[in-house]
Amino acid sequence: MKPDVPDGQASCGRSREPLSAVSRRGFLKGAGATVAGVGLLGPTAIAQEKPEAGGVPTLAAEPMQLKLRVNGVEREVRAMPSSTLLDTIRGELDLTGAKRICDRGSCGGCTMSVGGRVVNSCSFLAVDAIGQDVVTIEGLANGDKLTDVQQAFVDYDALQCGFCTPGMIVACTALLEQNPAPTRAEVAEGIAGNLCRCGTYPNVFRAVEAVVRKRKGG
Amino acid sequence: MQDDDKQISIRVGFGDHVKELQVVLPNGDIPPYQPGDKFELVGQSRSRVDAIAKVTGRAKYTYDQSPPRMLHARILRCPHPNANVLSVDLEKARSMPGVKAVLSFADAFRQNSVRFAWDGVAAVAAETELQAEEAVRAIEVQYEPLAFCVTREDAMAEFAPQVGRRNQKNTGRIYPRTPRRRGGGVDEEKLAEMLQRMEDDEKLVAELLGESDKVIEGEFDTQVQTHSPLETHGVVCDWDGDHLIAHVSTQGTFGAQWEATHPRGAVRAESAQILCEYIGGGFGAKTSLGREGVAGALLAKSAGRPVKLMLDRREEHTSTGNRPDSQQQLKMGVNKDGTIVAFKARSWGTAGNGLGGAGAHNDNIYDLGAIDKVEYGVRTNCGGARALRAPGWPQGAFALEAMMDKAAAAIGMDPIEFRKKNDSHAIRPHQYDRAAEMIDWKTKRSAKASSDPKKRGVGIASSMWFASGGGGARVLVRIHRNGTVQVRNGAQDIGTGTRTIMGMVAAEELGLDLAQVQTFIGNTDDPRGPTSGGSTTAPTITPAARLAAHRAKEELLDLVAEKHDWDRSDLDLASGNVVRKDGQPLATKVSFKDACELISDDTIETVANRPVFGRRRPNYEGFSDTNAGVQCAEVEVDTETGEVKVLKVVAVQDAGKVINPLLAESQVSGGIVQGVSYALFERRIMDRQEGRMVNADFEGYKILGSVDCPEIEVELFDVYNGKNNTSVMGLGEPPVVATAAAVANAVSHAIGERIESLPITPAKVLSALERKERRG
């Protein structure tokens, strides 16, 4: 059963909640009045409304300058009002760990953390990330030092082709923040939105369990 | 036998089952790994050499490439399942904002018709993805839509619309195959012989069935499965004059290079460098450059700029191959003592608008007595088949293993005992008991039915595969004066771990740790490697890597022997040092690094071809031509909702000599996950009215997720097969063969009624229970 989420924010897997009170349509209608301004820059920043023949106001498809905080660093990016967070971060910042696999929020390959919550960034607008901390797979390791979750994925071979791995690791990292000692069923539930075609789930479970043991000092 | 061929005696086998073989070592090969060999690295679980790149997001796949000035391309897809293309007008699209190149498939491929919905018609490259999409919509195409059929039943019906062209019938025999003369045309003489043989087989099997104690019958249906790799097909192409540089998401870098440079191909590059260090899954679908690859290359050429063309999910589901469906009508004659005396099989499958690959391998694995088997392919207006991890096998095993269970039940024999009775494989008979023990077969098989609406059951199934590799690989080993070592092959690692084990066998030979060698793959500027198909990559590349490292070692030891005036034949490399073969200490300690400093002209560089005897029989006789496996599954079936949950799958799997157990277990476990997914969830659904796939996404086309993942236990059977110098057998395909069959057998054990159709959906379970109840 899909939760009732605002338009433009696809259901993000069982364990994920609606991410923001502002919907895409809401943003587009009210651009400049309510949300815009926070982090929007320069004269092209505010998308211009142009009445169409029918009198319904729509936005011109103009790229805007946005400020996003990605992996702890303020970055300026150009994005359309309709640009997804995924495309913006991949295209503008060349952070290509997150993947576009299904492009509709059903596979988790694009998983990022926004404001501490896990989102499918293919179904999340870049403008909705303004003012929030965005963390991608590239932001987890400290230089060459892997996080314990990344290291466990290496040690337990929780990856094969590796294409789902960035999303899987971001999801597991977030899961352990919310629930430091998940059961195997809770791990499975927690990554239910992340598909892996090579079938590495059993090793993902083992990797997460190893992290839990280690964090407990085991 | 050539001059440098040498006859030796080798030991092959596993555990207590070891025998001696006389073999000839061709092409200066070295003896295979044998029982009792001491290893420092081989046989140890080591993490992948590319794991860190993958867990940090730094691994750059084709999809992640973005060279400067790159354009984005999209393909126009036809909405009709069968149509002639009368005209394609690209002019409007050409003048759209941002558009830099356009092409029609009529020009590029001389394709003037489409035979399945979502077949390609034209392509556009533009500055942005959005502009490319808009331009694609502006292309004007005139179609002449034709009648069509998208299901096997519709295509086989009387007066069905013709799917093919010219005189192609919708249904055609694909096995036994019509003999053809060299240069085309049917060989009438051989055809007559073949038809006679078919008639004789049919008669003989009918007689034997008539005489056997019991005749078991079954009619089985399986679905179309799509590969669904997470990285879609695609390319990023750039040109330097007539030289093509292309990142391709491919299982065959050298195949793609061949296609791109073939004088009669569509791209016709003078030379090409194909790059694929990482690939997001393939499973058999990515063995050619594909039309998207050709289109990407041509658009880049015409625009004079790099072009990225990646398919979207819908295109991936509809137009990049699948595992054909099947209907299999089987008969098995069995005697009360448990002997199978005869087997009859008729099958029909649709591989899209062609016939190839539509068969089901239902007559292998066991000794089935006399066999009468005919397979038919059925043309439909659907996307064509491509090899999907053990093509033909999971569907065949599903039907065959159900027949085995039915036959065992009919004569009152335990299913495992019945299988053992009809299995003459060199290895598999030793695997049944272990698999049964791992799933607790005896207890679970004899458990009384509970009153709980959730019923449990266990089932068993077997597998076999053929992969001991062949020719077509060359590995370069380079030892640098500063002690660094490179191992290079230009083929790809599709997630199997080939890159890691290539490094391991080379490091083992040089007495080094895996961390001390650098591995390079996925670049056709490096030495040639095979296409990853048929589970042949590991057993093809590793013997070449070992031999190349061995030759590099010999050159290095020559330098050491000369310098210290030692007897060269006493020396070896181990634990990072030069050592004596007899274990005695050397007069002076010489480390690997010390030895490397003796290299005068910067590097030792050796290249070795994969040793082979010839095309027909590339390998040594070995212990067994095929590798074996047995799997057991335990399921829980909710008889109120019809939901099946696979609780556990255990696998005993022979992979020849296991180089890296951690990665080998991942291969087996992954195959099982795909097998469970095939058994319960996956199914392409075609709309018969519109002729389109209705579930071309990951919501409607469900692949197994974490919540449905069973507990999986893998036990590797380490077999010194002796087929090649590393004794490695491929492991990509074997594990997926048995899983769906074992799951289906477990379901029928749980509910006491057989479901002869995949996937086993709740609806099918409920109707099976109803059928059982009605029968009383």
Side-chain angles (χ1 to χ4, degrees), chain A residues 43-109:
Chain A
T44 61
I46 297 170
Q48 302 135 25
E49 288 192 15
K50 279 188 192 165
E52 271 186 350
V56 183
T58 58
L59 286 168
E62 296 291 327
M64 312 173 284
Q65 291 287 123
L66 309 181
K67 249 190 198 169
L68 294 179
R69 195 158 62 248
V70 181
N71 299 329
V73 183
E74 290 280 338
R75 307 288 295 263
E76 276 186 33
V77 295
R78 281 164 63 83
M80 306 271 280
S82 59
S83 294
T84 64
L85 181 60
L86 176 68
D87 289 352
T88 306
I89 284 185
R90 285 179 56 88
E92 290 284 300
L93 304 178
D94 199 33
L95 296 174
T96 57
K99 309 295 188 220
R100 185 166 76 191
I101 294 171
C102 70
D103 206 15
R104 52 198 288 164
S106 57
C107 76

Side-chain angles (χ1 to χ4, degrees), chain B residues 139-155:
Chain B
I139 297 170
E140 289 170 345
V141 186
Q142 264 194 304
Y143 297 105
E144 177 198 357
L146 304 170
F148 60 86
C149 33
V150 293
T151 65
R152 202 171 1 96
E153 294 78 6
D154 287 353

Side-chain angles (χ1 to χ4, degrees), chain B residues 475-489:
Chain B
V475 170
L476 168 74
V477 169
R478 195 177 275 154
I479 304 177
H480 198 266
R481 205 161 180 269
N482 67 7
T484 56
V485 177
Q486 293 188 351
V487 187
R488 289 180 168 269
N489 178 274

Side-chain angles (χ1 to χ4, degrees), chain B residues 631-645:
Chain B
Q631 292 183 13
C632 291
E634 183 179 13
V635 302
E636 184 176 79
V637 184
D638 188 328
T639 54
E640 287 172 343
T641 64
E643 191 191 1
V644 176
K645 185 139 184 69

Side-chain angles (χ1 to χ4, degrees), chain B residues 389-629:
Chain B
R389 205 166 181 176
W393 284 80
Q395 56 266 53
F398 161 67
L400 172 62
E401 296 286 0
M403 293 293 283
M404 294 298 284
D405 268 19
K406 286 167 79 154
I411 57 167
M413 234 174 134
D414 175 76
I416 293 182
E417 293 311 312
F418 179 62
R419 282 170 173 78
K420 280 186 186 168
K421 173 102 186 158
N422 295 287
D423 191 342
S424 58
H425 195 277
I427 298 159
R428 200 184 307 105
H430 305 281
Q431 298 179 321
Y432 288 110
D433 290 346
R434 182 63 192 129
E437 197 182 337
M438 285 163 74
I439 202 85
D440 196 7
W441 178 268
K442 282 208 174 104
T443 318
K444 285 178 176 158
R445 196 72 190 182
S446 54
K448 289 220 167 65
S450 71
S451 56
D452 193 314
K454 289 185 176 176
K455 310 283 184 202
R456 289 193 174 193
V458 289
I460 191 163
S462 301
S463 71
M464 64 184 278
W465 202 253
F466 314 86
S468 50
R474 213 163 28 233
V475 170
L476 168 74
V477 169
R478 195 177 275 154
I479 304 177
H480 198 266
R481 205 161 180 269
N482 67 7
T484 56
V485 177
Q486 293 188 351
V487 187
R488 289 180 168 269
N489 178 274
Q492 57 293 318
D493 179 341
I494 61 172
T496 51
T498 303
R499 178 179 189 168
T500 305
I501 63 170
M502 173 179 89
M504 285 175 77
V505 297
E508 177 74 47
E509 205 59 34
L510 296 169
L512 298 175
D513 188 65
L514 179 57
Q516 293 168 281
V517 303
Q518 299 170 299
T519 53
F520 297 83
I521 58 155
N523 181 345
T524 54
D525 283 358
D526 276 330
R528 193 172 187 79
T531 293
S532 293
S535 304
T536 53
T537 314
T540 299
I541 288 182
T542 55
R546 185 175 170 227
L547 187 55
H550 180 82
R551 289 182 182 162
K553 170 168 80 175
E554 293 197 316
E555 285 192 30
L556 187 66
L557 291 177
D558 281 345
L559 299 175
V560 175
E562 195 181 336
K563 157 100 181 169
H564 294 276
D565 201 18
W566 290 335
D567 184 352
R568 162 71 187 79
S569 61
D570 286 346
L571 302 179
D572 203 351
L573 293 171
S575 312
N577 291 308
V578 178
V579 296
R580 277 178 63 117
K581 280 181 184 159
D582 61 10
Q584 297 299 311
L586 284 166
T588 322
K589 188 177 180 224
V590 182
S591 71
F592 181 81
K593 261 187 105 108
D594 297 336
C596 292
E597 281 172 15
L598 303 173
I599 301 170
S600 56
D601 44 359
D602 202 41
T603 55
I604 288 174
E605 201 170 279
T606 55
V607 182
N609 282 308
R610 163 65 153 80
V612 289
F613 289 101
R615 276 186 79 83
R616 284 182 63 84
R617 192 173 173 91
N619 295 315
Y620 306 135
E621 184 188 331
F623 186 73
S624 164
D625 282 339
T626 57
N627 47 348

Side-chain angles (χ1 to χ4, degrees), chain B residues 84-302:
Chain B
N84 290 322
V85 178
L86 303 178
S87 68
V88 180
D89 186 350
L90 298 168
E91 284 321 302
K92 214 183 257 176
R94 206 189 296 275
S95 61
M96 296 279 286
V99 172
K100 299 294 170 194
V102 292
L103 70 81
S104 80
F105 279 30
D107 292 338
F109 304 109
R110 293 195 204 105
Q111 181 191 340
N112 292 308
S113 66
V114 285
R115 289 203 262 165
F116 65 93
W118 249 246
D119 202 352
V121 179
V124 174
E127 296 282 356
T128 70
E129 244 183 302
L130 215 58
Q131 287 171 334
E133 262 166 39
E134 280 172 4
V136 153
R137 279 198 288 273
I139 297 170
E140 289 170 345
V141 186
Q142 264 194 304
Y143 297 105
E144 177 198 357
L146 304 170
F148 60 86
C149 33
V150 293
T151 65
R152 202 171 1 96
E153 294 78 6
D154 287 353
M156 290 172 73
E158 216 178 337
F159 308 117
Q162 187 193 9
V163 174
R165 299 289 185 259
R166 298 180 303 277
N167 60 351
Q168 291 174 332
K169 293 201 171 90
N170 282 1
T171 302
R173 190 190 64 239
I174 51 174
Y175 179 87
R177 201 180 288 184
T178 300
R180 300 203 164 265
R181 273 198 305 267
R182 268 187 198 190
V186 176
D187 187 329
E188 295 293 346
E189 202 175 312
K190 283 196 177 148
L191 177 64
E193 282 171 29
M194 190 196 82
L195 292 172
Q196 186 60 50
R197 213 165 39 243
M198 285 172 68
E199 208 183 303
D200 294 347
D201 287 348
E202 188 169 6
K203 217 170 122 194
L204 172 69
V205 166
E207 271 170 30
L208 288 169
L209 288 173
E211 291 164 9
S212 61
D213 292 337
K214 296 269 180 193
V215 176
I216 319 303
E217 294 188 41
E219 190 174 316
F220 303 89
D221 280 284
T222 64
Q223 76 280 36
V224 171
Q225 177 186 29
T226 68
H227 299 70
S228 298
L230 294 192
E231 183 182 34
T232 56
H233 285 65
V235 292
V236 177
C237 295
D238 196 6
W239 290 82
D240 179 2
D242 288 328
H243 177 63
L244 172 69
I245 302 149
H247 291 269
V248 184
S249 183
T250 183
Q251 295 175 238
T253 50
F254 290 94
Q257 185 190 44
W258 183 86
E259 282 179 70
T261 54
H262 197 281
R264 286 199 300 277
V267 178
R268 291 192 294 278
E270 201 162 89
S271 57
Q273 180 188 26
I274 307 295
L275 298 159
C276 180
E277 187 174 10
Y278 298 100
I279 169 175
F283 313 109
K286 293 180 179 170
T287 55
S288 91
L289 188 57
R291 297 214 150 165
E292 61 283 347
V294 173
L298 294 178
L299 289 168
K301 180 105 190 177
S302 142

